[in-house]
Amino acid sequence: MNFFVFKFGGTSVGTALRIKELVKLTTDPLPKVVVLSAMSGTTNALIGICESLYRKEQEQAVTKIADLLSVYEKVVAELYETEEGRLRGKELLTHHFQYLQAFTQDLFTSNEEKAILAQGELLSTALFHFYLTEKKIPSVLLPALNFMRMDAKEEPDMTYIEKYLKAEMANSAEARLFITQGYICRNAFGEIDNLKRGGSDYSASIIGAALQSPEIQIWTDIDGMHNNDPRIVSNTHPVSKLSFDEAAELAYFGAKILHPTCILPAQKKNIPVRLKNTMQPDAEGTLIDHIDSRDGVKAIAAKDGITAISIKSARMLLAYGFLRAVFEIFERHKTPIDMITTSEVAVSVTIDSAKHLPQILSELEQIAQVEVDREQTIICIVGHLPKETAGFACQVMQALKSIPLRMVSYGGSANNISVLVSSKHKNEALLALNKGLFPTY
């Protein structure tokens, strides 16, 4: 059988009612693997528990665990309709929350943190599977920790994943509906780990690639990837089709509907990814595929929390090896660069993580004069923008003629024009771009 992969995020399993609604979307005859995130709010709550344990505030951790348990007890009471179902749900909670309580009794390390963070997905998948069982709908719970594994470079071990995923599914050869966890995995040492924030999208894409699925569907609470930020711009619309490269640019530069890592496994296997809305399941959504994209701007995304660093050295900039020395500083501190522009006497770069900024600046100041601008925003204009076609950069600059621009990047790819603005100008810039680039909406 060719299994489709359906991924549902935290809001889609955020309440008993939403879990019940999933039945309509997952129990048609289409063979599928359903990937679930933790219930909305759970991962943040588990992080809070871990923070208390790191600070050795055991009583506070116990209180936070009890508060989270009460949320789940309410869900169990509302979700199941039979005494048998409610009893099974309560036994599930007892098992997982006693496990959490055990961490308040002993030394707490980063390995234990990963085990705690895994509980959200383990709970949501079991609750949904038990509900399907209560409704007499056949399904199989597929433990992600039995097949989802990352290698020593923290990349998916696709050979391992494909082998053990197919072996797990072969144990239930007649099944047409499998339920599994997003986000969680094992590392190269076999320890419980995770795919970081947004990792459930990544899980779905990896599983789809391993199974050579006909399609991967990412279900959220918005009807596809919009052409601008609907929280700021009122007249946005979903983009019906995007190429993999266009979608990857938008996801990386701030489109919240899709995690940036989700694209690559599907793209490598040429598997379409469809973005759908659980609240409006009949809406078209967005299809991401190897499409021949028409020329022009498709969408705009913004990425906040950016730091810009100007590195000036009239004596050394043009000297052989200077740029290498600059980039090696960022590499040593494992800090990726988003944008880069150069002139005869300076190079400017942006980073989205200031974790190692003091150390980076200390090393840069040994070879150059350095200026730092914080609270910046990258605005990324995405589409099919071939460099040999005139006018795209002009359209963007004209729309932003009243906005001070800190940096401009164009020509690095055929899919992206990026500008850097102070975050205080972000909303104004998004509205101006929407008016200038999408005048008919």
Side-chain angles (χ1 to χ4, degrees):
M1 281 187 283
N2 292 322
F3 281 86
F4 286 69
V5 176
F6 283 29
K7 177 263 175 178
F8 294 92
T11 55
S12 297
V13 290
T15 65
L17 179 60
R18 298 300 293 271
I19 294 172
K20 291 179 180 181
E21 289 294 316
L22 285 190
V23 175
K24 300 174 186 176
L25 302 175
T26 58
T27 56
D28 57 70
L30 202 68
K32 61 180 69 66
V33 177
V34 174
V35 180
L36 298 184
S37 298
M39 283 175 51
S40 55
T42 297
T43 301
N44 285 340
L46 293 172
I47 289 171
I49 291 166
C50 292
E51 289 172 347
S52 294
L53 292 173
Y54 275 126
R55 293 192 299 263
K56 298 183 180 180
E57 298 170 347
Q58 261 66 18
E59 289 187 9
Q60 189 179 86
V62 168
T63 299
K64 290 178 178 179
I65 291 169
D67 289 343
L68 185 59
L69 173 59
S70 67
V71 171
Y72 275 86
E73 287 175 335
K74 182 174 185 291
V75 170
V76 165
E78 295 175 353
L79 179 60
Y80 301 109
E81 300 164 9
T82 65
E83 189 57 38
E84 181 182 358
R86 285 189 286 272
L87 179 61
R88 198 175 185 191
K90 289 176 183 177
E91 289 173 348
L92 175 75
L93 300 188
T94 298
H95 170 73
H96 284 277
F97 281 87
Q98 283 182 350
Y99 180 77
L100 291 175
Q101 291 283 2
F103 289 102
T104 66
Q105 309 298 320
D106 206 348
L107 184 68
F108 189 71
T109 68
S110 59
N111 286 339
E112 278 76 31
E113 178 183 10
K114 300 290 178 59
I116 283 180
L117 296 183
Q119 300 309 301
E121 281 71 21
L122 293 171
L123 280 163
S124 64
T125 49
L127 288 170
F128 183 50
H129 172 61
F130 291 170
Y131 180 69
L132 291 173
T133 301
E134 184 182 63
K135 304 301 287 184
K136 296 183 170 46
I137 299 170
S139 68
V140 175
L141 194 57
L142 196 63
L145 295 177
N146 288 0
F147 64 84
M148 187 63 72
R149 186 182 178 100
M150 308 302 278
D151 62 22
K153 296 180 180 179
E154 296 189 346
E155 295 292 333
D157 187 339
M158 292 304 298
T159 301
Y160 181 100
I161 292 167
E162 185 172 339
K163 176 182 177 181
Y164 286 96
L165 172 59
K166 290 180 177 177
E168 286 284 330
M169 294 176 69
N171 291 330
S172 306
E174 301 304 314
R176 300 178 66 86
L177 177 59
F178 291 89
I179 316 295
T180 194
Q181 299 84 26
Y183 177 65
I184 66 176
C185 65
R186 292 192 185 274
N187 60 26
F189 303 103
E191 301 161 332
I192 295 176
D193 210 323
N194 59 63
L195 303 176
K196 313 302 183 285
R197 285 291 189 152
S200 291
D201 289 354
Y202 201 14
S203 297
S205 189
I206 292 167
I207 290 168
L211 296 177
Q212 198 64 53
S213 296
E215 186 173 282
I216 299 164
Q217 295 190 5
I218 308 295
W219 289 77
T220 66
D221 53 1
I222 187 170
D223 54 341
M225 193 173 283
H226 277 229
N227 68 318
N228 208 327
D229 190 335
R231 296 167 299 182
I232 296 166
V233 180
S234 59
N235 57 336
T236 66
H237 64 275
V239 182
S240 60
K241 292 181 181 179
L242 290 168
S243 70
F244 281 115
D245 289 337
E246 290 167 342
E249 296 273 13
L250 287 168
Y252 183 77
F253 284 105
K256 302 299 185 185
I257 188 174
L258 186 67
H259 196 265
T261 53
C262 179
I263 298 298
L264 190 57
Q267 185 174 11
K268 284 182 175 179
K269 293 293 185 76
N270 195 21
I271 299 170
V273 177
R274 193 180 298 272
L275 310 180
K276 297 282 286 179
N277 185 354
T278 53
M279 305 299 288
Q280 299 178 36
D282 294 330
E284 180 183 0
T286 298
L287 177 65
I288 302 166
D289 202 350
H290 279 298
I291 62 173
D292 293 326
S293 186
R294 59 174 175 80
D295 289 358
V297 175
K298 302 286 183 56
I300 301 161
K303 187 177 185 180
D304 295 321
I306 301 297
T307 300
I309 306 170
S310 292
I311 305 151
K312 300 179 181 179
S313 179
R315 181 176 63 86
M316 289 188 65
L317 187 65
L318 297 181
Y320 178 80
F322 177 71
L323 285 177
R324 183 187 67 188
V326 168
F327 294 139
E328 283 179 346
I329 291 171
F330 289 92
E331 183 180 357
R332 277 197 295 276
H333 296 287
K334 298 181 178 179
T335 302
I337 291 169
D338 287 323
M339 288 177 67
I340 177 169
T341 60
T342 63
S343 72
E344 188 174 352
V345 295
V347 56
S348 290
V349 301
T350 68
I351 58 176
D352 65 1
S353 170
K355 181 179 180 180
H356 300 295
L357 184 60
Q359 299 95 311
I360 290 170
L361 295 180
S362 177
E363 293 189 35
L364 287 173
E365 286 166 354
Q366 295 175 30
I367 61 173
Q369 295 179 339
V370 181
E371 295 180 4
V372 178
D373 291 321
R374 295 175 172 83
E375 296 185 12
Q376 302 290 299
T377 294
I378 293 175
I379 297 178
C380 182
I381 298 92
V382 169
H384 188 233
L385 313 171
K387 295 181 285 292
E388 61 272 14
T389 302
F392 296 126
C394 181
Q395 282 182 279
V396 172
M397 295 302 107
Q398 181 64 25
L400 294 173
K401 62 184 179 182
S402 63
I403 310 292
L405 303 182
R406 172 68 174 76
M407 290 172 63
V408 178
S409 177
Y410 177 44
S413 83
N415 300 112
N416 169 348
I417 300 173
S418 293
V419 298
L420 185 72
V421 302
S422 171
S423 295
K424 65 184 179 183
H425 296 302
K426 170 189 168 181
N427 290 9
E428 183 185 357
L430 290 178
L431 289 164
L433 284 166
N434 204 68
K435 182 178 179 180
L437 302 179
F438 306 116
T440 59
Y441 288 93

